[in-house]
Amino acid sequence: MPDFSLLAVTVAGLYLVALFCVYRILLSYRTAQGAIAWIISLIGLPWIAVPLYLLFGRNRFAGYVQARRLNDRTLEPLLTQYEQQAETLPYPGNAQNPDELSVLATLGRQPFTGGNDCTLLKNGDATFDALFEAMENATDYILLEFYIVRSDRVGNRILHILKRKLAQGVRVYFLYDDIGSVWLPGRYLKALKAAGAHVASFGDGNVRRRRLQINFRNHRKILVCDGKVGFVGGINLGDEYLGTDMGVEPWRDTHCRINGPAALGLQLAWLEDWHWATGDNPELNWQPSPSQMGDQQVLILPSSPADRWETCTLFFLNCINNARQRLWIASPYFVPDFQVMNALQLAAMRGVDVRILIPEKPDHLLIGLAAYSYLVTANECGIRICQYHAGFMHQKALLVDDRYAAVGTANLDNRSMRLNFEITALSTAADFVSEVEAMLEADLANSRTLERADYEDRSLLFRLACRSVRLMAPLL
């Protein structure tokens, strides 16, 4: 016969753990809908929700917050120096910006800098050619930070270049995310270390991740060479960005190369992450070098769950609320929360051309289903949700009127807004804005605008699935 006393003790213990999780949620939640979703799940289905909460649920990266406070003595002098030097550059600094842009500099804890050349890199071929060239030309150090690194053709080409540069005396610092790069073989990292590279996993500084906490992913994709040239965008180190993997061809993504002082902004973000993972503070170049090829004003805006504010959410809200004629956003994952969706609705209602570009073939089924649940509300106020059908669209780009454009790593979903470490480059230069406009126009030409009938005329089961997944958005 079953031991009912043991079963009762087990159930009671499970509910005590669930109640403790509820206690933690009530003390630390950021959004009511996320808290409610977790609390209902923990009370109603504790045998499922408790393990999930331990894996996904904690929404404040306390360890990094504490480390940031301790590291301020190291990083703040560099930030202060960077801000002071930015004001001496040829192009006017923050004082020349309207309030809507000045607030972004405050939000990201970095200044706008002039004297930059920001080049748009469309798709993997252009991006990898530029990355390889920059690394080959490095003379002092190479800093890498990527969410996904693969041991395929692209990954091995990177490995060979880094080993060659190490043999030439160039320092290499290689930071990867242990969740995104979970399939990266140990021999790849051992080869780098054997060649003299400094290698670290972002999870090395995260005790919680060692306890199977897989939130707080470092979703950034950064390369900096000698503090003079930097790269940021949606492209990881893998063959799929060349359209040769993942069963989806071609893979549509965007990166950008920055020559000039804004490369130091990428370097600052990299240094904070590296210091968190290793405790090390390598000697780097902090003297801004204005580009001879351009005079663009660029802001680097890092965002993370360790920030005082919800930086990523506030960035998007600021851009949406200040759009006057046009707001185009490309994001492979479109699961906005209420405040972002309401801001998009208001923008459309005041006559702004709001278009959201998403992939027709998502790489995550649940995320793809959730997007359909927004169609009725979007159509009613004039928001156009467009599905890109010429492959898988993974880019993260934003265009506000003809005034500024941004390329980075952040998506329009809860994970980017509140859980991931992300980074964005924003430029006010007319040439760059025009390039982004032309790029998005070409992408929109390869897309179809969804109508409410695409949701309403589907089966009841499909609509229930879409709405159910949307309820889970705070947990995705």
Side-chain angles (χ1 to χ4, degrees):
M1 294 183 65
D3 189 341
F4 290 105
S5 60
L6 179 60
L7 180 61
V9 170
T10 302
V11 171
L14 183 62
Y15 270 97
L16 282 175
V17 175
L19 287 174
F20 178 74
C21 294
V22 170
Y23 163 77
R24 292 288 302 271
I25 290 168
L26 290 173
L27 287 181
S28 62
Y29 73 85
R30 286 189 169 189
T31 65
Q33 60 267 34
I36 291 169
W38 276 118
I39 290 171
I40 291 174
S41 300
L42 287 164
I43 293 174
L45 298 167
W47 52 90
I48 297 175
V50 167
L52 288 176
Y53 180 76
L54 295 176
L55 283 171
F56 297 104
R58 287 166 287 185
N59 64 353
R60 189 67 178 168
F61 199 7
Y64 197 105
V65 174
Q66 202 170 36
R68 170 177 279 178
R69 290 171 183 159
L70 294 173
N71 293 347
D72 275 350
R73 287 173 295 181
T74 299
L75 298 175
E76 286 298 333
L78 293 175
L79 179 58
T80 301
Q81 174 187 338
Y82 183 39
E83 290 174 331
Q84 291 173 345
Q85 291 172 330
E87 293 302 319
T88 68
L89 294 169
Y91 197 98
N94 293 332
Q96 302 297 316
N97 287 319
D99 289 345
E100 66 177 281
L101 292 179
S102 295
V103 73
L104 293 180
T106 301
L107 190 62
R109 303 173 72 218
Q110 289 203 20
F112 271 93
T113 60
N116 296 289
D117 176 57
C118 191
T119 304
L120 199 63
L121 301 170
K122 292 173 281 187
N123 295 319
D125 289 310
T127 298
F128 290 131
D129 286 347
L131 290 176
F132 298 155
E133 180 184 14
M135 288 187 289
E136 293 282 13
N137 292 332
T139 59
D140 188 3
Y141 58 82
I142 299 170
L143 314 177
L144 300 100
E145 178 175 351
F146 283 87
Y147 177 58
I148 296 174
V149 182
R150 301 195 191 280
S151 180
D152 52 17
R153 286 186 302 158
V154 167
N156 286 319
R157 175 75 183 275
I158 296 284
L159 177 61
H160 292 151
I161 292 174
L162 294 179
K163 289 168 68 175
R164 185 163 60 251
K165 298 306 291 186
L166 284 161
Q168 296 171 8
V170 175
R171 293 174 291 150
V172 171
Y173 298 86
F174 188 93
L175 181 62
Y176 66 97
D177 185 88
D178 48 327
I179 302 298
S181 300
V182 65
W183 302 116
L184 183 65
R187 65 177 180 276
Y188 187 99
L189 301 173
K190 289 178 182 177
L192 268 178
K193 292 176 182 177
H198 305 269
V199 178
S201 150
F202 189 67
D204 288 344
N206 186 353
V207 174
R208 288 185 173 184
R209 182 170 286 185
R210 294 173 189 163
R211 297 174 183 170
L212 299 181
Q213 170 57 257
I214 61 176
N215 271 338
F216 314 120
R217 304 171 190 173
N218 193 318
H219 197 236
R220 294 169 178 170
K221 297 96 175 167
I222 298 172
L223 170 70
V224 179
C225 296
D226 299 336
K228 298 177 181 179
V229 57
F231 296 80
V232 66
I235 294 181
N236 289 291
L237 303 183
D239 286 356
E240 62 265 34
Y241 297 90
L242 298 173
T244 57
D245 200 3
M246 308 294 283
V248 181
E249 297 182 3
W251 190 290
R252 173 72 188 90
D253 214 327
T254 301
H255 226 70
C256 64
R257 177 183 61 213
I258 301 171
N259 290 86
L264 295 181
L266 296 174
Q267 184 167 283
L268 267 171
W270 177 90
L271 179 62
E272 189 169 29
D273 291 343
W274 181 262
H275 199 282
W276 155 250
T278 68
D280 184 30
N281 182 24
E283 191 71 29
L284 303 175
N285 167 43
W286 294 104
Q287 184 63 39
S289 301
S291 171
Q292 302 301 310
M293 300 177 289
D295 203 8
Q296 296 185 27
Q297 190 179 25
V298 174
L299 171 71
I300 302 300
L301 193 144
S303 59
S304 81
D307 296 346
R308 181 178 302 172
W309 306 285
E310 283 189 6
T311 303
C312 188
T313 302
L314 293 175
F315 164 72
F316 277 110
L317 287 173
N318 188 71
C319 294
I320 296 167
N321 291 334
N322 286 289
R324 300 163 191 166
Q325 290 89 34
R326 172 172 55 189
L327 176 72
W328 293 355
I329 301 175
S331 173
Y333 312 128
F334 179 65
V335 194
D337 62 15
F338 288 113
Q339 59 183 337
V340 172
M341 192 61 195
N342 288 344
L344 290 170
Q345 289 175 279
L346 285 171
M349 289 176 186
R350 65 176 183 264
V352 176
D353 175 14
V354 179
R355 304 191 205 185
I356 310 296
L357 185 63
I358 63 175
E360 181 183 42
K361 303 173 182 178
D363 61 340
H364 295 293
L365 176 62
L366 294 182
I367 298 292
L369 286 173
Y372 278 90
S373 69
Y374 295 91
L375 282 180
V376 174
T377 303
N379 277 198
E380 285 177 346
C381 61
I383 298 172
R384 293 175 59 184
I385 299 179
C386 307
Q387 278 189 339
Y388 182 82
H389 53 68
F392 175 58
M393 193 218 68
H394 186 255
Q395 67 176 324
K396 304 92 166 55
L398 175 146
L399 177 66
V400 178
D401 303 330
D402 299 317
R403 296 181 292 128
Y404 53 93
V407 172
T409 68
N411 299 300
L412 273 175
D413 67 352
N414 180 66
R415 186 160 294 282
S416 284
M417 300 289 181
R418 299 182 179 91
L419 298 175
N420 282 351
F421 287 71
E422 308 282 6
I423 191 163
T424 299
L426 182 148
S427 175
T428 61
D431 289 349
F432 184 78
V433 172
S434 295
E435 276 193 272
V436 172
E437 176 188 12
M439 176 186 73
L440 292 180
E441 281 182 338
D443 291 334
L444 288 165
N446 283 312
S447 68
R448 179 178 74 89
T449 300
L450 295 174
E451 305 294 340
R452 59 190 299 167
D454 289 297
Y455 171 76
E456 292 181 328
D457 291 352
R458 301 289 288 268
S459 69
L460 176 61
L461 183 61
F462 176 84
R463 284 178 282 139
L464 284 174
C466 294
R467 298 292 290 183
S468 299
V469 173
R470 181 171 168 176
L471 280 178
M472 295 166 56
L475 313 182
L476 295 176

